[in-house]
Amino acid sequence: MGSVTVPLPVDELAVLRVRRSAKWRTYPPDVLPLTIAEMDFALAEPITEVLREAVSRSDTGYAMPAPELGEAVAMFAQARWGWPVEPDSVTGVTDVSTGCVQLLRACCRPGEAVVISPPVYPPFFDWVAEAGARLIEAPLRQDGSGIWRLDLDALRDAFGARPAAYILCSPHNPVGRVHDRDELEVVAQLAHEYGVRVISDEIHAPLVLEGAAFTPFLTVPGAADIAVSLTSASKAWNLAGLKCAAIVTGSPAMRAFAGQLPPDGRWRIGHFGVLATVAALTAGQPWLDALLATLEIRRRQLGNLIAARIPDIRWQPPQATYLAWLDCRHIGRGEQPCEKFLSRGRVALEPGPRFGPPGSGFVRLNFGTSGAVLAEAIERMAAALG
Ligand SMILES: Cc1ncc(COP(=O)(O)O)c(C=O)c1O
């Protein structure tokens, strides 16, 4: 773990509130924002160093992703997951959102369908529309223990309608599920059987917590022929504003598919994004390990706080991410729980219905913050119900 301290430090609230990012500018100052997927931890030192150095040299021009970005992605994938990636099979893109929309445009003819599995990251719905495609929902299902899993029967039914693509969220936001290898094997088999492209959004992959193991989709037998992976350092190292992500392919067919993206795209990647991503992937692993240890502490703290203060909330601790998907259906349906926590408790959370119909009565809580903020948020949420 090197010399990085655990838990990772977080500035005082008054200092956090000076940040100008979306999380801190959306609500009035009396509201605690536990919403959008940005974290409150101080940046990793290798990242601050590379950015400071670039600013000091007025090195603020266009990005030059190759060859360092591909080499860094390959190095990290091998070190973290034993996944061999060819550096030149990596294509830089502005962000995961842009990459996904462009991939959908490249594989969908007008009016063709794309499958997603709600509850899921809300922009998935918008990306499909933006690409001019039709949406088919194959919702997750909750098993007997309350764990949200891919519903492989629903996926088979959806693939039977011959969609052009499936956007796999792996790990899955908002439920924090790390899909099992055997589940992913079935997804790959179904995709082959029905001729469906899989776009595997793996942005949360570095954020797999203790007790779970991530399977890169392209390492599943047959997947590399029909799937591409989208990856980024933006969630794990908090770099969303810097604009850099990567498409990874593992076969000539998928390399040709990714090759259809607009060539001008390389000029739309953030220079700071590339610098910070390369620093994160090559020198940011000790910090990432400290982050995961910190999130483990917060995940346990959240469980204890919920049990002690709002025991009616049901949840399954996430296997990945710093996002908790809380079942508040005893409080109300639709967005009612979220509205109550905001209006009476002054705590902002993401309303479950934004993630699709299965999200009615749920909220998503971001615990990528200090123990003090988390404790204060749960206290306020409990008071809101009093
Ligand atoms: C599953 C998922 N995909 C994509 C994104 C957005 O990524 P980007 O900012 O690189 O477009 C997020 C952001 O939270 C996410 O959770």
Side-chain angles (χ1 to χ4, degrees):
M1 194 154 297
S3 59
V4 189
T5 54
V6 173
L8 288 178
V10 175
D11 284 327
E12 293 296 312
L13 253 182
V15 179
L16 289 172
R17 288 196 193 286
V18 180
R19 289 188 185 182
R20 289 162 293 180
S21 63
K23 181 176 176 183
W24 293 99
R25 299 268 310 264
T26 303
Y27 295 95
D30 64 324
V31 170
L32 272 185
L34 274 65
T35 49
I36 190 167
E38 300 176 16
M39 294 187 290
D40 296 344
F41 306 107
L43 280 179
E45 190 56 32
I47 294 172
T48 50
E49 247 172 54
V50 78
L51 295 177
R52 259 197 222 109
E53 192 218 29
V55 170
S56 75
R57 293 174 196 271
S58 304
D59 180 6
T60 54
Y62 287 107
M64 183 69 191
E68 286 87 354
L69 182 63
E71 289 166 358
V73 168
M75 194 281 278
F76 185 79
Q78 182 65 53
R80 209 77 186 167
W81 306 302
W83 173 22
V85 166
E86 284 295 329
D88 64 0
S89 75
V90 175
T91 308
V93 281
T94 311
D95 51 27
V96 167
S97 314
T98 308
C100 191
V101 171
Q102 289 180 342
L103 288 165
L104 290 176
R105 284 196 181 123
C107 72
C108 297
R109 289 189 297 267
E112 275 193 325
V114 174
V115 178
I116 63 172
S117 294
V120 75
Y121 179 58
F124 278 22
F125 295 85
D126 306 322
W127 297 347
V128 173
E130 196 177 330
R134 201 162 40 80
L135 196 69
I136 297 181
E137 297 181 25
L140 300 182
R141 65 177 176 84
Q142 265 185 298
D143 69 14
S145 326
I147 295 170
W148 293 87
R149 292 174 179 273
L150 292 171
D151 184 337
L152 299 170
D153 293 328
L155 268 185
R156 177 181 284 282
D157 287 347
F159 284 13
R162 302 278 169 187
Y166 173 51
I167 314 177
L168 173 68
C169 194
S170 180
H172 195 105
N173 172 9
V175 300
R177 170 83 178 145
V178 178
H179 307 300
D180 292 338
R181 175 171 274 272
D182 55 1
E183 293 168 326
L184 296 175
E185 283 175 5
V186 178
V187 174
Q189 283 158 13
L190 290 173
H192 268 280
E193 195 176 328
Y194 292 97
V196 178
R197 289 276 160 82
V198 179
I199 299 171
S200 187
D201 177 342
E202 300 181 352
I203 194 169
H204 290 283
L207 291 169
V208 170
L209 301 171
E210 201 180 298
F214 172 67
T215 303
F217 190 58
L218 296 191
T219 66
V220 166
D225 299 327
I226 45 89
V228 302
S229 161
L230 274 165
T231 186
S232 171
S234 71
K235 290 297 120 182
W237 285 271
N238 213 33
L239 308 176
L242 302 187
K243 295 295 163 196
C244 175
I247 298 173
V248 184
T249 61
S251 68
M254 289 299 105
R255 197 184 284 208
F257 170 44
Q260 294 171 39
L261 261 54
D264 206 36
R266 64 157 287 198
W267 301 112
R268 302 173 195 162
I269 304 170
H271 179 44
F272 282 3
V274 174
L275 297 180
T277 300
V278 171
L281 297 177
T282 58
Q285 286 206 50
W287 186 91
L288 176 62
D289 289 333
L291 172 69
L292 297 179
T294 304
L295 293 178
E296 175 57 32
I297 295 169
R298 294 289 178 273
R299 181 171 67 167
R300 247 182 289 130
Q301 181 192 1
L302 179 59
N304 292 338
L305 287 167
I306 288 174
R309 301 294 292 125
I310 326 179
D312 283 345
I313 288 184
R314 284 196 299 271
W315 77 310
Q316 285 293 330
Q319 296 172 298
T321 77
Y322 43 84
L323 307 167
W325 184 239
L326 305 181
D327 181 350
C328 303
R329 283 178 291 183
H330 72 286
I331 301 168
R333 297 284 157 158
E335 298 200 2
Q336 283 169 354
C338 203
E339 282 161 6
K340 203 174 248 185
F341 291 133
L342 179 59
S343 62
R344 296 206 201 155
R346 311 306 284 158
V347 176
L349 305 163
E350 293 290 341
R354 274 196 204 153
F355 299 78
S360 173
F362 284 74
V363 298
R364 193 192 71 177
L365 178 149
N366 176 345
F367 60 89
T369 186
S370 66
V373 167
L374 190 57
E376 167 80 14
I378 297 295
E379 210 43 57
R380 290 185 184 199
M381 288 164 66
L385 303 178

